[in-house]
Amino acid sequence: MVTLTIDGQKVQVEEGTTILEAARKVNVRIPTLCYLPEVQAIGACRVCLVEVEGNRNLQPACVFPASEGLVVHTNNLRVRRARKFSVEMIVSDHPMDDCLTCPRNQKCELQKLADDLGIREVKFTGEKSGGQIDDLSPSIVRDQTKCILCRRCVTVCKEVQTVSAIYTQGRGFKTRVEPAFGRSLNDVSCTLCGQCILVCPVGAITEKENIEEVWHAIFDPSKFVVIQDAPAVRAALGEEFGYPPGTLVTGKMLAAVRRLGFNRVFDTNFAADLTIIEEGSELLKRIREGGVLPMITSCSPGWIKFIEHFYPDLLPHLSTCKSPHQMLGALTKTYYAEKAGIDPRDIVVVSVMPCTAKKFECSRPEMAGSGYRDVDYVITTRELAKMIRQAGIDFAGLENGYYDDPLGEYTGAATIFGATGGVMEAALRTACEVATGKTLENLDFQAVRGLDGIKEAVVPVDGIGNVKVAVAHGLGNARKIMERIKDGTADYHFIEIMCCPGGCVSGGGQPVPVNDEIRRLRAQALYQEDKNLKIRKSHENPSIKRIYEEFLGQPLGEKSHHLLHTKYTARGRF
Amino acid sequence: MKSWRAQVLVCAGAGCVSSGCRKIRDAIVAGVENHGLKQEVKVIETGCIGSCNLGPLVLINPEGVLYQKLTPEDARDIVAEHLAGGKLVERLLYKDPLTGRPVARLEEIDFFKYQQKIVLRNCGLIDPMNIEEYVAREGYQALHKVLTSMTPEKVVDEIIDSGLRGRGGAGFSTGLKWKFARQAQGALKYVVCNADEGDPGAFMDRSVLEGDPHSVIEAMAIAGYTIGSSQGYVYIRAEYPLAIERLEWAIRQARERKYLGRNIFGTGFDFDVEIRIGAGAFVCGEETALLTSIEGRRGEPRPRPPFPAVKGLFGFPTLINNVETYANIPAIILKGAQWFASFGTEKSKGTKVFALAGSVINTGLVEVPMGTTLRDLVFKIGGGIMDKKQFKAAQTGGPSGGCIPAEHLDIPIDYESLTRIGAIVGSGGLIITDENTCIVDFARFFMDFTQSESCGKCPPCRIGTKRILEILIRITQGRGREDDIDRLVELCNNIKDTALCGLGQTAPNPVLTTIKYFRDEYLEHINDKHCRAGVCRRLKKQAAVKIS
């Protein structure tokens, strides 16, 4: 431990703790911009500058290590002037006329910083570095004119996701963050995961909005508009309306979407339960018939695009199951349409997802097994919040709503899909019981929960033996597992991989900000819901039993094959 | 060893190569053969002799006669008249600019007379492609001495005592740097040579590598022994192909002669050097950016601390010095700290190599003791200003340096003195300007350079330098505003205080010093729309005549 003095207050910290962290201990909040815990500390933006006695230059608090006897000033005239200048410079190269129309208006870190530092005029105006707007991908829009070059997106893409779709190029005033050769995200091996959106402090990276298309569908009297939502949405939507992270707002959300004018409200969770049955059957088949193992989950479209780009040789390891919302879309336009007597041509399926890659997924040509697009529009959690605000709905005042039958019933196993390890846990619950016929005493598989990058477990299953499983979240961890499959050291039967760190609760379509604490809280909300539900195993979902009886027949049967399973495309790097 | 009656040294620094020295060499070789002098006269290519404006040139030893500005015909005459006939070829000798009289011997020429060569001790004297010639000039003896008779601590003390300071620009004590790198704990350590010389006009590092590459290799090996490292890297810019070629050759020879590799001098010490080639970014001369670039990443500076000595290349303790700094080391080891410290001033010891350029009569590479006055450099060595014009200002330290006006001509050139007047020694670029230079345009030129070479990482440098440049351009185009000088000073001071690395922190120096010493000229541009040098074409050359 070392003792240092910050603004006249003594503070004791571990040696090497940054001044930024040490200052928090004495309730001093040093402003930051390029710094992002768990992602990047590079001292680039010069906003967290402090004066360290004995140092000629001002020092960035986010990286300067505490040492014994250090005397630090975080708020004197020199420091204030320096910080203000750094932000003034950024502002002078920022298209301020666009603030009112920016998707991040009022949620912009630069706005807040400029306000906090009391910047009331732009003293040094001049040419703007400009750039282009890339809106070619179905998921993500990059507006270089707004980029402040903090590099948070570059770091998350390279270090966390190991994708490196975008990086810093050029020099001086012409420095830009962009894909190789200034190409579109659509032309490179971007997985469209949207983690860059979550870390962008301004409006330079946003999802491609589909709000207007959805409004038009809703107000088109010839359309029957169905909405479904992924489990992670209900664990985070509340944050958009001022609830603390980890507040489950399922009831209010359901009431709100009904008020928006959707004709039916289904739950992606239903299809998550269905996934467990289909995927579980596929796994058992592979184990019994000597198929390709380990089998890997396929419900995360960013992950799918990653393996298609980076490990196309390993595609046979993927389960052929579509992701749950695609399954539900397909069933809505077949099973439900038939049941309700609606022409599937008139049905519009809207998925609310924590995800930007799903926007791409729903546009994949193979996602139309019924002859109609499984899902017509994907909107993110953030977009749903915007629609609720646009409609003038007082979210907090709403009574609880409900899901519609028959595609709205779900179990606890489905709801934990939203957290890393959730799919695996749901699968294990069903696998253990179905294979053995015995009832599990403890349904909580703690080994696959939590934020460790790669989690492993060995589960003895009667009749099969020890089933070895692994769970990875974040593409950096996925890459590690892929390398082990390549070199033959991954002797697992089943692997769950989620594209985004923490799983879908912190997907690229979720409310900002996201950090490990928020990931934990959102996951906790889902585990709590699971715990409170009466039925916690997918195979016990009555609606699932019914759909097999009435419509699908057998898992992996003919109908399943057409509607619920898919194929993949080797894409290569460029 | 064979002895020769005469040795013809053909300067083959990159400057002379581009002005055609290879043809001169071929002509001399052919002439020597034709006159049957092959057994008596040895012709070799050597490194930069220094007087670049006189090239292509040859030096004939042992007499020490310099022939300048040669054509292949001239070369044939030199063979016929001097080497075969024993007479000086008067028309090819250097002419004293004042008297017009020919001066035969190099050491009698003012340009060379006042120099003190430590760093450049072998440049222009030996064949850099022949390790024997380096060895013959006490080469690798310093390494032998260190490995066989000195502890690492003793080496550190010697370097500290010598007072040597980093020649790359910052002027930090080299010995202390070595000490920190020695003390740092690490499973691996690295020795790195910064040969990413990028200041416009500066070429001393290139010349050392072209003319005496072994001095750097030897120094790096000494450094390796001292800090406990067995691997060195030379980071050299791609624009220096000749230096790369000669350094590669020298490394190969040193390996063959076992001055590099395993068990050097049978002492159990292992050391090797590899070359890494830069891709053209000025900022990679900044030490942390350079290390990042060697690591294969985009060359951008990182905050210090941690300093490279603690956490450098690939996260391991790293000693990084520039070429000129290393080139001093073997001499210090062999001749001693006291000898070295006998040159220079109280706090700035030894010599400094300057690349003298601009409006002086004699341009080229000069090495003088620290503390030599600017006046001596310009007027004694440089021969004064061309075309009988007036000295206006000297820019030291390249784009990071400052502009020194005539009132400070008598300032001794050392770290402290230059810093005091807002300039820096820097890497040793020295650009002399005369009355035909517009000072605002001069500042604009340097700002244009640093602005486009900013790595873009921190906003003060990326955007701030652009804003400065915009104001300077506006002033030179006659659109200057009344408060522009205040705005410039505010921008400059803030950038100095907030930028991440040395590039940004020093980028405002040319602007601040020109405002400090030539404010009138700025005001003329802004208020009178008048450029006294006639450089800013949208402004009037003549001052407006007041009609009373």
Side-chain angles (χ1 to χ4, degrees):
Chain A
M1 296 296 270
V2 294
T3 306
L4 64 162
T5 310
I6 298 178
D7 296 342
Q9 303 176 80
K10 290 247 184 290
V11 56
Q12 261 209 340
V13 291
E14 294 277 337
E15 187 163 10
T17 308
T18 63
I19 289 180
L20 186 77
E21 291 159 19
R24 292 203 169 155
K25 286 195 139 189
V26 284
N27 299 313
V28 173
R29 301 250 152 195
I30 297 167
T32 57
L33 187 55
C34 71
Y35 170 76
L36 196 62
E38 299 144 24
V39 175
Q40 132 173 321
I42 56 172
C45 72
R46 319 308 283 169
V47 170
C48 69
L49 289 177
V50 295
E51 193 174 81
V52 181
E53 285 189 10
N55 278 256
R56 185 165 52 93
N57 300 110
L58 296 175
Q59 295 290 351
C62 69
V63 289
F64 198 93
S67 58
E68 185 60 39
L70 224 53
V71 180
V72 181
H73 303 281
T74 77
N75 184 35
N76 59 23
L77 284 178
R78 184 183 176 203
V79 166
R80 291 174 59 86
R81 199 196 62 206
R83 275 182 197 157
K84 210 169 160 179
F85 179 73
S86 298
V87 177
E88 274 173 355
M89 284 297 104
I90 297 169
V91 171
S92 89
D93 187 33
H94 199 71
M96 286 160 298
D97 292 349
D98 295 355
C99 268
L100 290 179
T101 52
C102 178
R104 286 291 293 272
N105 187 21
Q106 300 182 5
K107 287 178 183 161
C108 169
E109 291 181 39
L110 184 60
Q111 269 179 347
K112 182 168 187 311
L113 207 51
D115 183 44
D116 287 352
L117 295 177
I119 294 171
R120 291 288 170 264
E121 59 162 341
V122 183
K123 239 193 234 167
F124 304 102
T125 51
E127 189 192 330
K128 304 246 159 105
S129 55
Q132 50 184 358
I133 297 174
D134 171 18
D135 59 357
L136 295 181
S137 98
S139 299
I140 296 174
V141 179
R142 291 187 61 252
D143 182 348
Q144 284 181 335
T145 66
K146 291 178 184 160
C147 175
I148 59 166
L149 291 166
C150 69
R151 286 109 185 279
R152 284 166 24 170
C153 56
V154 174
T155 307
V156 89
C157 190
K158 181 177 182 219
E159 307 292 335
V160 179
Q161 298 294 60
T162 66
V163 169
S164 292
I166 43 174
Y167 41 91
T168 322
Q169 293 168 58
R171 259 181 253 166
F173 198 61
K174 292 176 187 149
T175 309
R176 289 202 205 297
V177 169
E178 58 190 6
F181 311 113
R183 302 296 294 268
S184 164
L185 279 182
N186 223 23
D187 300 338
V188 298
S189 50
C190 170
T191 66
L192 303 172
C193 72
Q195 287 298 307
C196 53
I197 299 175
L198 295 184
V199 299
C200 182
V202 295
I205 318 182
T206 51
E207 70 266 68
K208 190 166 209 175
E209 285 189 355
N210 293 106
I211 293 177
E212 281 311 310
E213 292 93 320
V214 174
W215 279 125
H216 276 89
I218 288 173
F219 289 113
D220 182 343
S222 69
K223 297 294 181 198
F224 188 85
V225 190
V226 174
I227 189 169
Q228 58 166 320
D229 67 283
V233 176
R234 64 201 68 174
L237 180 66
E239 292 163 40
E240 289 279 339
F241 297 98
Y243 291 88
T247 311
L248 208 60
V249 291
T250 323
K252 290 188 191 300
M253 175 185 72
L254 294 174
V257 296
R258 212 170 287 278
R259 284 219 194 169
L260 291 178
F262 289 100
N263 301 92
R264 287 292 178 274
V265 183
F266 290 152
D267 194 345
T268 309
N269 271 355
F270 169 84
D273 281 330
L274 191 60
T275 300
I276 291 301
I277 307 302
E278 289 289 327
E279 207 165 70
S281 305
E282 187 186 356
L283 178 63
L284 287 175
K285 188 165 181 243
R286 288 194 191 200
I287 292 174
R288 288 186 180 132
E289 297 177 8
V292 178
L293 290 175
M295 188 177 88
I296 312 175
T297 58
S298 57
C299 33
S300 170
W303 148 242
I304 298 300
K305 199 154 180 285
F306 178 83
I307 183 172
E308 288 176 334
H309 280 301
F310 294 95
Y311 296 94
D313 298 348
L314 300 183
L315 284 172
H317 287 270
L318 283 180
S319 159
T320 59
C321 285
K322 286 181 183 173
S323 77
H325 85 116
Q326 296 291 152
M327 287 190 182
L328 196 96
L331 292 174
T332 303
K333 292 190 179 181
T334 53
Y335 173 63
Y336 179 74
E338 206 179 297
K339 234 175 144 87
I342 305 167
D343 186 343
R345 222 176 323 177
D346 295 331
I347 299 181
V348 174
V349 175
V350 177
S351 300
V352 187
M353 295 286 128
C355 184
T356 47
K358 296 261 184 212
K359 286 177 185 269
F360 164 77
E361 182 190 35
C362 83
S363 70
R364 292 176 70 119
E366 61 273 22
M367 292 296 174
S370 64
Y372 304 95
R373 307 284 336 150
D374 295 348
V375 172
D376 298 280
Y377 302 111
V378 168
I379 58 171
T380 62
T381 310
R382 295 186 296 265
E383 286 172 273
L384 176 62
K386 282 181 189 166
M387 289 184 73
I388 294 171
R389 280 194 290 267
Q390 285 169 15
I393 295 168
D394 172 14
F395 189 79
L398 293 174
E399 299 286 329
N400 283 346
Y402 54 91
Y403 285 109
D404 290 312
D405 283 334
L407 303 178
E409 191 167 16
Y410 66 98
T411 72
T415 215
I416 58 174
F417 263 54
T420 166
V423 178
M424 182 58 68
E425 184 165 344
L428 290 175
R429 288 179 190 175
T430 291
C432 288
E433 294 207 349
V434 172
T436 63
K438 283 185 260 178
T439 306
L440 271 176
E441 272 177 34
N442 182 9
L443 290 183
D444 297 345
F445 289 82
Q446 294 292 350
V448 295
R449 295 186 182 182
L451 289 179
D452 289 345
I454 294 175
K455 297 166 278 188
E456 296 174 311
V458 180
V459 182
V461 179
D462 287 354
I464 297 175
N466 282 340
V467 174
K468 281 192 78 174
V469 301
V471 172
H473 59 113
L475 294 173
N477 294 316
R479 185 182 288 280
K480 285 181 200 156
I481 298 247
M482 289 302 102
E483 289 300 322
R484 283 166 58 186
I485 292 180
K486 259 171 82 177
D487 67 24
T489 57
D491 58 341
Y492 309 109
H493 296 92
F494 191 35
I495 301 170
E496 177 205 296
I497 292 181
M498 291 294 156
C499 171
C500 294
C504 306
V505 286
S506 42
Q510 291 285 67
V512 177
V514 169
N515 54 44
D516 278 353
E517 182 57 18
I518 290 175
R519 287 185 177 98
R520 249 187 294 275
L521 290 168
R522 289 178 185 168
Q524 222 169 60
L526 294 178
Y527 287 117
Q528 194 55 46
E529 188 187 30
D530 165 41
K531 207 158 201 173
N532 294 344
L533 284 167
K534 267 194 215 110
I535 307 175
R536 297 180 62 199
K537 290 168 270 187
S538 298
H539 56 283
E540 291 179 353
N541 182 337
S543 293
I544 294 288
K545 290 179 188 167
R546 197 174 326 124
I547 199 170
Y548 276 108
E549 283 162 23
E550 291 180 3
F551 183 69
L552 289 172
Q554 289 295 313
L556 308 181
E558 181 65 22
K559 274 218 170 74
S560 293
H561 177 74
H562 283 299
L563 298 177
L564 310 182
H565 291 258
T566 187
K567 56 188 190 314
Y568 305 103
T569 310
R571 293 178 196 273
R573 293 296 298 278
F574 298 104
Chain B
M1 215 168 155
K2 184 170 170 39
S3 68
W4 304 86
R5 177 170 66 81
Q7 193 184 36
V8 181
L9 296 165
V10 182
C11 177
C16 281
V17 169
S18 50
S19 64
C21 73
R22 293 263 153 84
K23 283 186 183 150
I24 310 299
R25 179 204 56 194
D26 293 346
I28 293 176
V29 169
V32 164
E33 205 152 316
N34 289 341
H35 285 85
L37 299 173
K38 241 181 124 182
Q39 298 305 315
E40 297 170 46
V41 177
K42 187 184 185 191
V43 182
I44 62 171
E45 281 186 13
T46 183
C48 183
I49 290 176
S51 47
C52 299
N53 62 324
L54 305 182
L57 52 85
V58 300
L59 180 64
I60 299 182
N61 278 338
E63 304 103 301
V65 172
L66 181 82
Y67 288 113
Q68 55 149 359
K69 295 182 183 169
L70 302 176
T71 65
E73 289 75 43
D74 296 337
R76 282 187 273 279
D77 292 349
I78 292 171
V79 179
E81 293 175 33
H82 185 131
L83 296 173
K87 286 182 301 194
L88 288 175
V89 191
E90 198 164 296
R91 67 181 177 88
L92 302 175
L93 293 174
Y94 175 78
K95 312 287 184 307
D96 187 283
L98 289 178
T99 62
R101 279 209 301 265
V103 186
R105 295 184 59 222
L106 176 132
E107 58 192 40
E108 289 166 358
I109 299 173
D110 282 351
F111 182 79
F112 297 101
K113 199 156 61 179
Y114 300 100
Q115 293 197 47
Q116 177 64 50
K117 297 203 173 189
I118 297 175
V119 171
L120 301 175
R121 60 194 177 277
N122 293 325
C123 276
L125 271 182
I126 63 167
D127 176 0
M129 301 292 269
N130 185 351
I131 192 172
E132 302 291 349
E133 299 205 5
Y134 180 70
V135 170
R137 303 246 322 148
E138 301 185 316
Y140 290 104
Q141 286 186 25
L143 178 61
H144 183 267
K145 178 178 174 184
V146 161
L147 291 183
T148 55
S149 68
M150 289 172 83
T151 61
E153 289 76 15
K154 181 81 188 74
V155 180
V156 167
D157 289 345
E158 195 74 16
I159 308 294
I160 290 178
D161 292 346
S162 76
L164 176 64
R165 294 166 67 171
R167 298 295 192 239
F172 188 76
S173 160
T174 304
L176 280 180
K177 216 176 193 182
W178 287 39
K179 187 177 179 180
F180 296 148
R182 160 143 190 86
Q183 286 168 344
Q185 301 293 316
L188 281 172
K189 287 185 185 180
Y190 292 106
V191 172
V192 173
C193 173
N194 183 346
D196 193 52
E197 183 176 52
D199 283 356
F203 57 97
M204 57 286 296
D205 293 346
R206 190 196 72 206
S207 296
V208 169
L209 291 175
E210 285 174 359
D212 191 19
H214 287 287
S215 67
V216 175
I217 298 170
E218 182 178 6
M220 289 178 73
I222 292 169
Y225 167 75
T226 308
I227 71 160
S229 162
S230 58
Q231 181 64 53
Y233 289 100
V234 180
Y235 186 89
I236 182 167
R237 58 192 301 215
E239 296 88 338
Y240 283 178
L242 188 62
I244 294 170
E245 181 192 320
R246 291 188 184 161
L247 182 63
E248 273 174 348
W249 182 257
I251 291 173
R252 206 172 314 143
Q253 284 187 323
R255 283 179 187 151
E256 280 166 15
R257 293 288 297 261
K258 306 217 185 305
Y259 296 129
L260 287 178
R262 297 209 162 274
N263 197 18
I264 298 168
F265 291 123
T267 58
F269 170 64
D270 305 334
F271 192 77
D272 204 356
V273 173
E274 280 179 39
I275 296 178
R276 289 290 178 271
I277 297 172
F282 175 69
V283 74
C284 286
E286 197 280 341
E287 61 178 15
T288 59
L290 185 152
L291 298 178
T292 310
S293 178
I294 294 182
E295 289 167 0
R297 297 185 284 142
R298 177 181 159 93
E300 287 182 343
R302 37 202 206 214
R304 300 174 304 179
F307 287 90
V310 177
K311 199 174 169 203
L313 190 59
F314 301 111
F316 295 105
T318 300
L319 174 71
I320 174 165
N321 288 127
N322 92 327
V323 171
E324 187 182 338
T325 312
Y326 280 126
N328 277 299
I329 299 292
I332 293 173
I333 296 295
L334 285 180
K335 298 188 177 175
Q338 282 201 327
W339 164 81
F340 185 81
S342 69
F343 302 99
T345 63
E346 189 198 337
K347 288 186 173 168
S348 303
K349 300 296 187 191
T351 58
K352 178 76 194 90
V353 184
F354 290 96
L356 195 55
S359 309
V360 281
I361 292 171
N362 305 322
T363 59
L365 217 53
V366 300
E367 183 173 0
V368 291
M370 284 278 188
T372 302
T373 63
L374 181 58
R375 187 182 297 280
D376 283 351
L377 265 169
V378 174
F379 291 96
K380 280 190 174 165
I381 294 174
I385 308 297
M386 278 194 288
D387 304 329
K388 301 194 170 129
K389 292 209 175 81
Q390 287 292 309
F391 170 89
K392 182 166 188 174
Q395 173 77 16
T396 61
S400 318
C403 195
I404 305 175
E407 64 190 270
H408 287 307
L409 264 174
D410 289 311
I411 195 158
I413 296 191
D414 61 60
Y415 294 105
E416 277 69 27
S417 303
L418 288 195
T419 306
R420 212 173 302 127
I421 59 165
I424 59 169
V425 175
S427 60
L430 189 56
I431 299 171
I432 310 301
T433 68
D434 61 30
E435 66 222 46
N436 282 6
T437 301
C438 164
I439 214 73
V440 186
D441 184 64
F442 192 60
R444 181 205 56 79
F445 167 80
F446 285 113
M447 194 45 64
D448 194 22
F449 179 85
T450 36
Q451 192 278 133
S452 57
E453 290 296 340
S454 161
C455 78
K457 190 170 178 177
C458 75
C461 181
R462 180 180 74 240
I463 306 167
T465 56
K466 174 75 176 176
R467 296 289 173 254
I468 294 181
L469 180 64
E470 287 170 339
I471 296 175
L472 291 174
I473 288 175
R474 159 166 108 208
I475 295 175
T476 57
Q477 292 181 345
R479 295 181 289 114
R481 300 175 199 159
E482 208 166 312
D483 61 346
D484 271 349
I485 293 183
D486 292 342
R487 300 164 73 84
L488 282 173
V489 171
E490 187 181 348
L491 273 166
C492 287
N493 286 332
N494 278 318
I495 294 169
K496 273 173 90 84
D497 214 22
T498 52
L500 169 61
C501 80
L503 190 156
Q505 288 160 10
T506 58
N509 286 348
V511 181
L512 283 174
T513 49
T514 50
I515 290 177
K516 183 172 173 190
Y517 297 117
F518 299 92
R519 183 180 273 262
D520 286 351
E521 217 172 312
Y522 275 86
L523 289 172
E524 282 166 13
H525 278 75
I526 295 169
N527 297 333
D528 307 337
K529 312 297 174 202
H530 162 50
C531 171
R532 62 169 86 165
V535 171
C536 302
R537 291 168 64 187
R538 296 204 196 167
L539 273 65
K540 300 181 291 259
K541 183 168 185 185
Q542 298 303 320
V545 181
K546 250 191 193 159
I547 300 169
S548 51

